[in-house]
Amino acid sequence: MSAPGLLARSPTLASFLSRATTSAAHHSRPWSRALVAHTNSHHRHFSMPALAQEEVLPTPTAKSRAQARIAAIDEKRPFSPVLTDNFSRQHTYLRISLTEKCNLRCTYCMPAEGVELSPKDNILTTPEIIRLARLFVSEGVTKIRLTGGEPTVRKDINDLVAQLGELQSMGLKTIAMTSNGIALKRKLPTLVASGMNLLNLSLDTLDRFKFELMTRRKGFERVMETIDDALALGMSPVKVNCVVMRGTNDKEVLDFVEFTRNKKVDIRFIEYMPFGGNKWKENKLVPYQELIENIRAIHPTFKKLTDDPNDTSKAYHVPGFAGQVGFITSMSDHFCGTCNRLRITADGNLKVCLFGNTEVSLRDMMREGKTDEELRQVIEMAVKNKKKQHAGMSNLVNMKNRPMILIGG
């Protein structure tokens, strides 16, 4: 059946296409104009079974209709060239650091002498963060992760997450947070109600005394309570990030695996990485293959799970356990080829690679009155300049880069 015939048969479909075409026509980007041309050319094919199914379903709610429109547009339109690099990697994941401040002093993240924080006026304001988030979502970002520092020390964190939740109607699917859990417990219910649907908690030891040595602060019990609270609120799985360092916590890997027996948590063992001031040494690095061998010595059935295309973690599971574990292998087996992540630092710089030292200030552009289109042009140039892969373990040690706390975990 021809497209005009289908439109006559389904007023709902005709109304949707009219709105989608009108909305796309207001955009100046080539991929939006291409969508309009493709729609108007009557070359789009619609499945008769899908139409029949639509006719017998109960009257949809306004929210379900909006979600259906978003899904249909996402399925048909080409991905934005603004966020596609020269190696055809499509960047759908944006990490935004909300603050450089933290209530812990983890040894691998912050130098013992501390770091010089940016002046308060240099930190992105909430309207600036929301403007950038809206811009990136309009270009195809579907996941935003809030990092720090510690994001929960930001006073307006609840309002900021609520405003990000409003972007779900534009196609944002995941609002995630990486937190140390210390100040999160009392804020968690409100954040979840506002739309936060994924949580990573940093926990490098299951020993409360070692916790104080590694973080230079107290708070172990509060982190453990936050894990349980997150599970009770229906967050599944709750991800737990553990940076493994030889001679510090590498002997606890089996304890973390045991932690997944009855809790639906995803323990992610992260290879120790070099950043400014963390005194990285190669002999502290424990390659993930060594960890797998140690785990299989106790759990012979420890097996590989299927990873999603852009996963940074290699997923494994002990059959019968409620949770799972994974390995983030940035040093021994990089995953640059499937990288879909971009970062915005708390002071407003765009970093296209965690290990890259090239940055561009989006904050300065906004405060100079640049338009969204001018921001898009600079973002596209930065993304197009993203390298195929990072410099490699031997070179990363000698490259100048920010301390992790000033990048955003």
Side-chain angles (χ1 to χ4, degrees), residues 295-303 318-319:
I295 294 170
R296 281 188 171 146
I298 304 299
H299 301 285
T301 58
F302 188 59
K303 68 176 184 178
V318 178

Side-chain angles (χ1 to χ4, degrees), residues 39-329:
T39 303
N40 292 340
S41 68
H42 299 169
H43 289 163
R44 186 174 293 176
H45 299 286
F46 300 94
S47 167
M48 288 301 294
L51 286 173
Q53 184 181 24
E54 181 184 27
E55 292 170 357
V56 300
L57 286 175
T59 303
T61 64
K63 182 177 181 180
S64 66
R65 287 196 299 269
Q67 291 172 336
R69 289 197 294 271
I70 292 166
I73 291 172
D74 285 343
E75 183 178 353
K76 296 297 182 183
R77 72 185 180 190
F79 190 79
S80 166
V82 173
L83 300 184
T84 304
D85 68 17
N86 289 330
F87 303 97
S88 300
R89 292 174 295 200
Q90 298 176 346
H91 295 79
T92 58
Y93 181 5
L94 178 66
R95 302 172 69 101
I96 304 176
S97 177
L98 302 183
T99 179
E100 296 174 348
K101 297 178 180 179
C102 187
N103 46 9
L104 297 182
R105 296 292 183 270
C106 299
T107 55
Y108 57 82
C109 183
M110 184 182 290
E113 65 275 13
V115 295
E116 184 177 351
L117 300 177
S118 300
K120 182 179 179 181
D121 289 344
N122 287 4
I123 301 299
L124 288 176
T125 65
T126 293
E128 289 170 338
I129 291 171
I130 298 302
R131 179 184 175 185
L132 290 175
R134 184 181 300 275
L135 178 59
F136 276 90
V137 170
S138 74
E139 295 297 331
V141 162
T142 58
K143 178 178 179 179
I144 290 178
R145 177 175 296 280
L146 303 176
T147 68
E150 169 52 39
T152 59
V153 305
R154 187 166 175 130
K155 294 180 180 180
D156 65 345
I157 182 64
N158 289 341
D159 180 58
L160 193 152
V161 170
Q163 291 187 55
L164 287 176
E166 296 173 2
L167 301 182
Q168 290 173 329
S169 62
M170 295 176 57
L172 181 62
K173 299 175 182 177
T174 303
I175 301 174
M177 179 181 290
T178 297
S179 169
N180 59 37
I182 299 295
L184 178 61
K185 178 178 170 61
R186 58 189 172 84
K187 299 178 180 180
L188 188 58
T190 301
L191 293 171
V192 171
S194 297
M196 189 179 82
N197 50 16
L198 186 62
L199 178 64
N200 289 44
L201 289 168
S202 299
L203 181 65
D204 302 308
T205 178
L206 295 173
D207 182 317
R208 60 173 47 85
F209 302 108
K210 191 179 292 184
F211 179 91
E212 292 182 26
L213 291 174
M214 295 184 71
T215 66
R216 306 183 181 112
R217 295 291 187 273
K218 297 180 183 293
F220 174 80
E221 289 81 6
R222 197 173 302 175
V223 179
M224 299 299 286
E225 291 171 0
T226 302
I227 292 174
D228 289 337
D229 288 354
L231 290 169
L233 285 168
M235 305 194 85
S236 178
V238 174
K239 298 183 178 182
V240 178
N241 295 341
C242 174
V243 177
V244 180
M245 293 173 283
R246 192 182 304 279
T248 301
N249 63 345
D250 56 314
K251 301 303 182 184
E252 291 190 66
V253 166
L254 289 171
D255 295 331
F256 274 103
V257 173
E258 182 62 29
F259 191 67
T260 71
R261 181 185 293 272
N262 299 312
K263 292 183 186 291
K264 197 170 182 180
V265 293
D266 180 359
I267 304 292
R268 292 142 60 89
F269 297 117
I270 302 174
E271 291 182 342
Y272 185 34
M273 296 174 280
F275 293 100
N278 75 349
K279 299 180 180 179
W280 184 91
K281 293 181 179 179
E282 187 173 352
N283 62 6
K284 290 185 178 181
L285 169 67
V286 186
Y288 84 102
Q289 290 287 5
E290 180 180 330
L291 296 180
I292 291 175
E293 291 173 5
N294 293 340
I295 294 170
R296 281 188 171 146
I298 304 299
H299 301 285
T301 58
F302 188 59
K303 68 176 184 178
K304 182 77 179 69
L305 300 177
T306 301
D307 299 319
D308 290 332
N310 298 114
D311 276 351
T312 59
S313 176
K314 296 174 172 62
Y316 284 75
H317 173 69
V318 178
F321 281 23
Q324 65 182 58
V325 303
F327 303 89
I328 298 179
T329 62

